[in-house]
Amino acid sequence: MSFSNVNVTGDGFSLSGFTGHNFSIVFSSDLWQHAIVFTTLYTITTVIVEIVLGTAIALVLERLTASRGWMMALLLLPWAIITVISAQLWSYVYNGVYGVLTAIISPLNGGHDINVLGSSFSATAAMAVADIWKTTPFVAIITLAGLVMLPGDIVEAARIDGASAWTIFWRVRLPLLRPTLSIAVLFRILQAFGLFDLPYVLTGGGPGDSTESLALLGWKVMFNDLKFGAGAAVAASTAGIVLIACLVFLKVFRSQVGSEETA
């Protein structure tokens, strides 16, 4: 569809010819350029925060014994909630009139309501917080599995040699965790770059188009504007970008692991 002329009729649509016109329209669009910048920066920011927080939570869980099962069950609750439901819950928190956040901040602001979703920066930050709250448990569980599988003799040898806890983590455990963390990063890149539910429910892509992701842009072009060819081009370009990013990440990761094994 992205490489075809799409003709919409009362009976549906038909495809004809072979053309790159859809992609030329998309790539020259300011909306697409803004969406790709926003989606890329959003993905990088949220994935980094989730990896750091998820690793920290996994380290805490690793030290627990009897209560680890209960803590893991509680930790998985945010991740188990459907994203649309989670976004709706956060919309109640951020609501500028009766939201929980407004009730907390309003007295500190002289009784004035706070419209968190009313500006570009705060709306993006609010959306990122909701995303991090939901998906950090996923990273934590994967990282915890990697920590449990680490060979204990190497860590014990480093401890006997007098290495501090920070040195052991940074120089011994973290390098051994790279394969596990790479899996978490890849999954999160795939999920974050396909961001749709959160902006659709929380902001609708606004204010203006400041929080409009590539997935939301493709949906609007295809189903609101009924430009099926251009919408398919947005979707195809998004898939291509994600594929290239994942291949580059895997190549860099493999080269690092190879150099470490050689050393």
Side-chain angles (χ1 to χ4, degrees), residues 160-176:
I160 293 174
D161 289 339
S164 63
W166 173 253
T167 302
I168 291 175
F169 171 75
W170 191 255
R171 297 294 181 87
V172 179
R173 308 187 81 189
L174 187 59
L176 293 175

Side-chain angles (χ1 to χ4, degrees), residues 23 27 30 67 76 173 247:
F23 285 96
F27 293 158
D30 293 336
S67 59
L76 284 174
R173 308 187 81 189
L247 290 176

